C-alpha cells in the first residue's frame, strides 16, 4: 500500500480535495493500493500529523498490508521521511517529492536551518532500510538549494545498504510541484 500525504499551505489552505500526482496512478495500475492521509488544515501541525501517521501504521499492517510505502509532496514528503526514520521496521519505502518544512525562501523564516534540518532528517534513516526516493526540483521556492539536497541524498545512497535514489530532473521539470 502507498499512503499519500499532501503538502501544507497554512491553516486556511485545505489540500484534502487536491488531485494526487500521476505517479500514484501509475503505482495503482501496477497493483499498489493507494490511501490518502488527508489532514484538516486547522489542526495540521507537523507533530500532530506525524503522531497520527505513526499511530496508523500498525492498523494498516493489521489490515493485511506487508509493504507500506509512505509518499508525499512538500510537508507530506518531509513527514513521510520522519515517519520512516521513527518506525523503520513498519515502513518498506518512503517517496518524497519536494520535501519541505520551512516555508518559502522569499519570506523571513527559519530557512537558514533548512539544509541542516534536511541533513539531520536523512541521517535519521537506518542504513539497512527503509528504501528511499527523493525528488527535488530547480526553481522550488520552498527549497533554498535543490542541488545541495540532491547531493545530500546521493551521499546518503553511498552510505546506505538500503536502496536510495536522488532525483533532480533538468528543467522544464521544475518548481515545487515539479
Amino acid at each position: 500500500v502507498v499512503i499519500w500525504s499532501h503538502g501544507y499551505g497554512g491553516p486556511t489552505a485545505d489540500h484534502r480535495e487536491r488531485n494526487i500526482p500521476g505517479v500514484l496512478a501509475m503505482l495503482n495500475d501496477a497493483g499498489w493500493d493507494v490511501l490518502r492521509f488527508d489532514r484538516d488544515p486547522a489542526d495540521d501541525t507537523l507533530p500532530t500529523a506525524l503522531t497520527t501517521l505513526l499511530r496508523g501504521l500498525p492498523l494498516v499492517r493489521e489490515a493485511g498490508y506487508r509493504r507500506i510505502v509512505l509518499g508525499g509532496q512538500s510537508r507530506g514528503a518531509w513527514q513521510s521521511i520522519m515517519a520512516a526514520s521513527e518506525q523503520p521496521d513498519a515502513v518498506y519505502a518512503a517517496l518524497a517529492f519536494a520535501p519541505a518544512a520551512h516555508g518559502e525562501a522569499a519570506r523571513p523564516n527559519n530557512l537558514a536551518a533548512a539544509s541542516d534540518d534536511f541533513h539531520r532528517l536523512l541521517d535519521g534513516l537506518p542504513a539497512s532500510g527503509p528504501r528511499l526516493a527523493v525528488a527535488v526540483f530547480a526553481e522550488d521556492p520552498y527549497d533554498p538549494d535543490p542541488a545541495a539536497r540532491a547531493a545530500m541524498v546521493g551521499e546518503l545512497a553511498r552510505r546506505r545498504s538500503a536502496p536510495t535514489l536522488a532525483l533532480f530532473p533538468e528543467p522544464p521539470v521544475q518548481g515545487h510541484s515539479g
Side-chain angles (χ1 to χ4, degrees):
V1 66
V2 178
I3 301 172
W4 178 255
S5 295
H6 55 74
Y8 176 72
T12 59
D14 195 342
H15 295 295
R16 293 176 289 183
E17 298 293 324
R18 290 183 82 177
N19 291 333
I20 59 173
V23 68
L24 293 177
M26 293 169 50
L27 288 169
N28 188 243
D29 289 346
W32 290 84
D33 289 345
V34 177
L35 304 175
R36 291 174 64 119
F37 177 44
D38 283 335
R39 305 174 316 273
D40 184 331
D43 188 34
D44 188 14
T45 65
L46 185 54
T48 301
L50 182 62
T51 299
T52 302
L53 182 59
L54 292 172
R55 242 187 339 217
L57 292 178
L59 301 173
V60 173
R61 177 84 58 207
E62 287 173 20
Y65 291 105
R66 292 185 347 247
R67 293 183 293 173
I68 300 171
V69 175
L70 302 178
Q73 193 270 336
S74 190
R75 224 282 303 286
W78 194 277
Q79 76 192 22
S80 293
I81 298 171
M82 288 181 78
S85 295
E86 291 199 26
Q87 289 191 11
D89 292 338
V91 177
Y92 178 72
L95 306 174
F97 298 90
H102 294 81
E104 284 185 80
R107 295 185 181 180
N109 51 38
N110 59 349
L111 270 178
S115 290
D116 289 340
D117 287 350
F118 188 69
H119 194 268
R120 279 191 293 278
L121 180 67
L122 295 177
D123 281 348
L125 290 166
S128 60
R131 299 161 185 252
L132 175 68
V134 177
V136 294
F137 308 100
E139 304 300 322
D140 182 346
Y142 294 90
D143 189 336
D145 192 345
R149 282 197 182 181
M152 283 183 217
V153 177
E155 175 57 33
L156 179 69
R158 289 185 275 286
R159 297 189 322 255
R160 297 181 83 218
S161 57
T164 304
L165 177 65
L167 300 169
F168 187 30
E170 297 282 327
V173 180
Q174 62 186 30
H176 197 55
S177 297

